[in-house]
Amino acid sequence: ILEDEAFARAHLRLLPEAPPEAVGRVRAALLERQREQGGSRGWRWAMVPVGVAAAAAAFVVTTSEPASPVAPAPLAATLASEGVQDALQPTEDVRLSFHGSGTLSGTDAAPRLAWESGSVEIAVTPDQQIDLRVETREAEVRVLGTVFEVTRDARGTRVSVTEGKVSVDCDDGEDRVILAGERAECAPTTAAGLLGRARSFESEGSHEQMLIAAEAGLARAEPGSAIAAELMVARIGGLVALGSRAEALAQTQRYLIQHPSGPRANELHRTAAALLLQDGDCAAAWPHLDELPARTAAEQAWLESCPPE
């Protein structure tokens, strides 16, 4: 073929992807390869078709225009499902099943879910470079290709992983990666949030956790504020339930000194009187009972069995 240029040109023009201006380049490349490699006429006949195809393909690749990148599609949705479990598939690679409320924004390549309350299970197709993040008041959860669930309530934010793994960054500075079968929890970081966490544990009878949350909240609360007063009441309740009567009494008296007319004053006068009567200290219990606008039958019985000295 190399000796018959007219035949070579005719043969090359049969390739639809090789324009006429490619012919000269192909022929020059083949001639150069012949000079470098040498060999028999039979070798050249065997290699020429492969060389032509490769050169034509190379020409097409290097001269074709690159494909334009696809712009990310914006996402915008409000999630609200209080009565039943609901579902949403905002993109081909992201599926949500939720019971609660939140707001979806971002793009199909980088979804952002601001989750307010309730539970949401999220499935993300692995290896698609989806930068999905779930943000709550206490945490940011970053997806690493997985199926996982985020629950937010009075206790804070809890994350559990079914498949794959996620990165959890808590507002308290504790960051971790959790794998399938593992769980992580991010507690509230504000005094008000920790009060809600303490009350949640109280409703379950988890008094040790209630006390821990109340102590953490008091460390963040403004002294003398209404939130601080409620956290003191929660701490007293935890101490009483755990049998720490002396410390509970000391905290009760401290509250009554700081908030003598507070909304919980009558409740804590009763608490103080009960603690003192359990220790047989009738003289100390009477002033607290005298502060009550009305007494219960049990308190009246205490008065009759424990006269003031």
Side-chain angles (χ1 to χ4, degrees):
I1 292 177
L2 292 176
E3 287 79 12
D4 189 347
E5 182 177 341
F7 180 80
R9 288 177 179 273
H11 185 72
L12 288 171
R13 290 193 182 99
L14 293 177
L15 297 175
E17 67 270 29
E21 57 266 30
V23 174
R25 299 185 188 184
V26 174
R27 182 172 183 274
L30 293 173
L31 290 173
E32 181 64 24
R33 185 168 184 178
Q34 180 188 14
R35 286 193 295 269
E36 291 176 356
Q37 300 293 337
S40 67
R41 182 179 178 86
W43 175 89
R44 291 197 300 272
W45 274 97
M47 293 297 297
V48 165
V50 176
V52 170
F59 181 85
V60 172
V61 170
T62 56
T63 59
S64 62
E65 294 183 1
S68 300
V70 178
L75 300 176
T78 299
L79 283 63
S81 177
E82 300 301 332
V84 296
Q85 195 83 2
D86 208 342
L88 176 68
Q89 185 167 353
T91 76
E92 182 179 353
D93 297 309
V94 177
R95 295 169 298 283
L96 310 176
S97 178
F98 59 94
H99 182 267
S101 60
T103 303
L104 182 66
S105 61
T107 67
D108 56 352
R112 298 290 183 265
L113 178 59
W115 193 243
E116 294 295 329
S117 64
S119 298
V120 55
E121 183 180 81
I122 302 173
V124 180
T125 304
D127 304 323
Q128 298 302 309
Q129 288 74 52
I130 305 296
D131 179 22
L132 186 148
R133 303 188 185 193
V134 181
E135 298 175 353
T136 70
R137 294 181 188 178
E138 299 84 18
E140 180 184 78
V141 184
R142 292 182 288 114
V143 175
L144 306 176
T146 187
V147 177
F148 68 104
E149 182 177 69
V150 177
T151 299
R152 189 183 182 280
D153 53 24
R155 293 190 190 178
T157 298
R158 296 186 297 281
V159 182
S160 60
V161 177
T162 304
E163 299 177 13
K165 59 183 178 179
V166 299
S167 171
V168 182
D169 300 339
C170 297
D171 283 354
D172 61 7
E174 186 176 357
D175 304 337
R176 73 207 85 170
V177 172
I178 58 174
L179 307 177
E182 297 180 342
R183 297 172 179 267
E185 182 176 64
C186 297
T189 56
T190 65
L194 286 162
L195 175 60
R197 180 177 171 86
R199 292 304 185 198
S200 175
F201 283 124
E202 180 183 28
S203 67
E204 280 190 0
S206 301
H207 296 108
E208 186 174 352
Q209 293 298 323
M210 171 190 177
L211 184 59
I212 292 172
E215 295 283 2
L218 282 167
R220 293 168 171 79
E222 181 181 351
S225 65
I227 291 294
E230 285 299 304
L231 284 163
M232 289 180 70
V233 173
R235 177 167 63 181
I236 292 166
L239 290 168
V240 171
L242 293 171
S244 301
R245 294 208 308 264
E247 189 176 355
L249 180 59
Q251 293 298 323
T252 300
Q253 292 171 336
R254 179 183 176 188
Y255 176 96
L256 291 170
I257 291 171
Q258 294 180 0
H259 309 279
S261 302
R264 298 296 195 105
N266 288 339
E267 176 185 339
L268 291 187
H269 277 301
R270 282 196 163 93
T271 299
L275 291 170
L276 289 164
L277 289 169
Q278 287 176 27
D279 291 336
D281 193 346
C282 298
W286 266 92
H288 293 290
L289 292 171
D290 282 342
E291 291 291 333
L292 299 176
R295 301 185 183 98
T296 66
E299 290 164 350
Q300 191 61 39
W302 282 339
L303 289 175
E304 293 173 358
S305 63
C306 188
E309 296 179 359

